[in-house]
Amino acid sequence: MDYARFVALRRPLWDSFERDATAARRRDFSYAEVEELALRYRQVLHDHAWARARFPGTGAAQRLHRLAVLGGTVLQREDEERFSIVRFFFERFPAAVRASVPWIGVAVALFLVSGLLGWAVAVYEPGVAVATLGPDRVEDLRRGHLWTESLTTTVPPSISSSFIATNNMSVALTAWAGGALAGLGSLWVAIFNGFLLGAIFGVTARFSMAGELGEFVVAHGLLELTLILVCAGAGLGIGAALLRAGDLPRSVTVPRAAREALVVLFGCLPWFLLLGMVEAFLSPSPHLAFHWKLLLGFALEICFLTPIALGLLRQPVPAWPLEGTP
């Protein structure tokens, strides 16, 4: 390739990189923008090495040297930026969730379908009640007692909240780590939890106690299910990166998807601690009216979704994630 053709082909990349790198020195870039800038920086470094070897001393070689220094300064500043909890939960975490939104939609759809199936099976097949809840809990339902009533009497709330949070975190971890099995583990978590929840509501409906169960879960259940399905969607993103070949090799797309899924997991885990306390102290309380529990459940869901929704307004969801594009 001669010098004139080299400059004509590569100059648009240099111009866009110089413009964005200069802008990055004056304002904060999002994670996606920094990642895209880093990819172009690698291309600039490649051009710099080519120009230094083939066209030393030319204007293009001198300009590429300046761009290499500029890019190194900008990206090093981004890497050395101190971690901020506020920035993580209001920028980094919502951006990672946004990248997984299509896969989260898949997890939600599977959850709803399996939930309807579980409800139908439990309503029309009495034997599912014993298989799902066990004979002791079914006998309690026959006597008009919901098993959740024992949460306030048999185990202190301070202990049960820790157990509940640990159990929910283990489900989220399973949903996230299941992505390494080509997404099968994440699919299983979404389908199984949907079927189990639907079956439980179907069983309690047969004993005319679905309302009491709904009153118990309304304060914590909405956000709890959201967190699990968000983690399952992030796990599906890992599985998609393993299965789908794109423009970039899997050595690039799989670590990227795993990194984004890990951010999603870390952003969800603290909420399980809060939900554990809500489920242990407030959900089984007979002194808290249903409308207050309902209000609390919606308030928690809104607090979780608001930063994500604001991020979606600023940057649209991609048509389909992990296609291999930077």
Side-chain angles (χ1 to χ4, degrees), residues 282-316:
L282 300 179
S283 293
S285 174
H287 307 294
L288 188 63
F290 171 76
H291 63 272
W292 289 115
K293 294 180 181 180
L294 180 64
L295 181 62
L296 176 60
F298 277 110
L300 291 173
E301 184 76 2
I302 291 172
C303 288
F304 175 76
L305 292 179
T306 295
I308 299 172
L310 292 176
L312 290 175
L313 292 175
R314 290 194 299 267
Q315 190 170 8

Side-chain angles (χ1 to χ4, degrees), residues 132-195:
T132 304
L133 297 176
D136 294 336
R137 289 181 175 179
V138 172
E139 187 60 31
D140 289 339
L141 289 175
R142 295 184 190 278
R143 293 197 297 264
H145 296 288
L146 202 63
W147 66 90
T148 56
E149 297 173 2
S150 62
L151 293 178
T152 57
T153 57
T154 59
V155 181
S158 58
I159 297 177
S160 61
S161 65
S162 176
F163 173 78
I164 291 168
T166 302
N167 179 70
N168 291 336
M169 285 181 181
S170 67
V171 175
L173 284 168
T174 302
W176 171 78
L181 300 175
L184 295 178
S186 304
L187 291 174
W188 166 253
V189 169
I191 294 172
F192 175 76
N193 280 274
F195 183 87

